[in-house]
């Protein structure tokens, strides 16, 4: 129950971010995001993560992080069209500081899961006799 509440709160937070283009440039950016997975340089994010972890050497951690993010991006490419365009745009927009593909897929999955929970038939709360 607590896990569901935490997921719902996190998802509601993610859903509160919207993208409203105000000019032609913003509309083009929105269309590009909706059409394909963004290309991000993850070196800085992975370098920062590698500097605080304790297993392996920093260089091995960096390499491992970059490989993991690449695998996540490949999965996103396969599944990108299964997520609604509004969710893709909103999640990319919300990741403005040192974004990662892991954060992007988490945002998309949370939005999907919240929608599924909202659409699900409410459980019967009456006790059985």
């Amino acid at each position: 129950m607590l896990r569901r509440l935490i997921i719902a709160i996190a998802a509601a937070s993610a859903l509160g971010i919207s993208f409203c283009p105000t000019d032609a440039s913003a509309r083009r950016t929105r269309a590009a995001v909706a059409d394909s997975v963004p290309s991000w340089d993850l070196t800085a994010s992975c370098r920062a993560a590698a500097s605080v972890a304790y297993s392996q050497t920093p260089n091995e951690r960096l390499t491992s992080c970059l490989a993991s993010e690449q695998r996540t991006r490949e999965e996103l490419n396969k599944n990108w069209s299964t997520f609604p365009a509004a969710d893709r745009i909103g999640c990319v927009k919300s990741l403005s500081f040192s974004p990662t593909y892991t954060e992007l897929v988490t945002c998309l999955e949370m939005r999907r899961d919240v929608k599924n929970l909202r659409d699900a038939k409410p459980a019967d709360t009456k006790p059985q006799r």
Side-chain angles (χ1 to χ4, degrees):
M1 179 70 167
L2 180 60
R3 184 172 182 253
R4 278 185 148 180
L5 178 62
I6 292 169
I7 291 170
I9 291 170
S13 173
L15 288 170
I17 300 169
S18 64
F19 182 70
C20 301
T22 56
D23 62 9
S25 173
R27 284 189 293 276
R28 282 192 303 274
T29 300
R30 180 179 161 193
V33 167
D35 291 342
S36 63
V37 177
S39 293
W40 292 324
D41 179 4
L42 301 170
T43 307
S45 293
C46 283
R47 188 171 288 126
S51 71
V52 297
Y54 292 105
S55 65
Q56 304 170 319
T57 67
N59 196 36
E60 289 171 330
R61 291 189 300 260
L62 173 63
T63 302
S64 176
C65 176
L66 290 170
S68 174
E69 288 295 324
Q70 182 58 36
R71 285 189 303 274
T72 302
R73 187 177 194 286
E74 290 168 3
E75 280 300 308
L76 270 171
N77 271 326
K78 291 179 194 171
N79 301 317
W80 192 247
S81 64
T82 66
F83 297 103
D87 289 352
R88 295 186 305 240
I89 293 165
C91 287
V92 169
K93 176 77 172 149
S94 73
L95 301 173
S96 59
F97 177 75
S98 196
T100 67
Y101 297 113
T102 301
E103 291 171 316
L104 178 56
V105 76
T106 300
C107 177
L108 290 166
E109 289 173 348
M110 284 191 330
R111 286 179 178 230
R112 179 200 59 212
D113 293 347
V114 166
K115 182 185 182 317
N116 288 343
L117 285 172
R118 285 182 182 159
D119 293 346
K121 191 173 187 175
D124 186 9
T125 57
K126 295 179 184 176
Q128 295 288 339
R129 293 187 188 234

